[in-house]
Amino acid sequence: SVEPSLPDSLDWWKMENLRYRGVDYDLSIGEDFVQVSYVRGKTENLKLQVTLKKNSKQKVYVDGKETQDYTEDGDYVRVTVPFRSCKIFVK
């Protein structure tokens, strides 16, 4: 589960060589995006849940394609995808 919360002085943050259940990956986050890259290991049955802030005029995208496959909770949206290299953002 990823829910970006950056200090005002940062636009984005990248972390490399993270590990989750034996899977290594890199993670980049910003106020309006989460990107998982360079995934190494067996990801079968693993999921990634991303929570991002959204207003009523924004749309949700997974790998550059608009999606309606998300849930809303107030000003936030939650997207769940298989754990893999991907980028989820709102704009």
Side-chain angles (χ1 to χ4, degrees):
S1 180
V2 179
E3 185 173 344
S5 179
L6 296 171
D8 291 338
S9 61
L10 293 178
D11 293 327
W12 60 276
W13 181 312
K14 182 173 184 176
M15 296 157 277
E16 298 178 333
N17 298 316
L18 300 172
R19 178 170 279 216
Y20 175 70
R21 293 193 176 193
V23 176
D24 297 319
Y25 63 100
D26 296 346
L27 178 68
S28 301
I29 61 172
E31 285 297 318
D32 62 353
F33 77 92
V34 168
Q35 182 170 352
V36 175
S37 56
Y38 199 48
V39 176
R40 292 127 14 239
K42 294 182 180 183
T43 61
E44 186 177 317
N45 298 321
L46 296 181
K47 301 282 184 190
L48 171 67
Q49 179 179 291
V50 174
T51 302
L52 294 167
K53 195 167 190 173
K54 175 185 179 278
N55 71 38
S56 62
K57 296 181 182 182
Q58 292 176 314
K59 296 179 181 179
V60 179
Y61 297 85
V62 175
D63 293 330
K65 296 180 183 179
E66 184 179 353
T67 184
Q68 301 295 319
D69 193 14
Y70 61 86
T71 58
E72 293 188 41
D73 183 9
D75 293 336
Y76 293 88
V77 293
R78 286 191 182 82
V79 180
T80 302
V81 296
F83 194 93
R84 60 179 173 78
S85 291
C86 64
K87 184 173 184 179
I88 299 167
F89 62 97
V90 294
K91 71 173 187 175

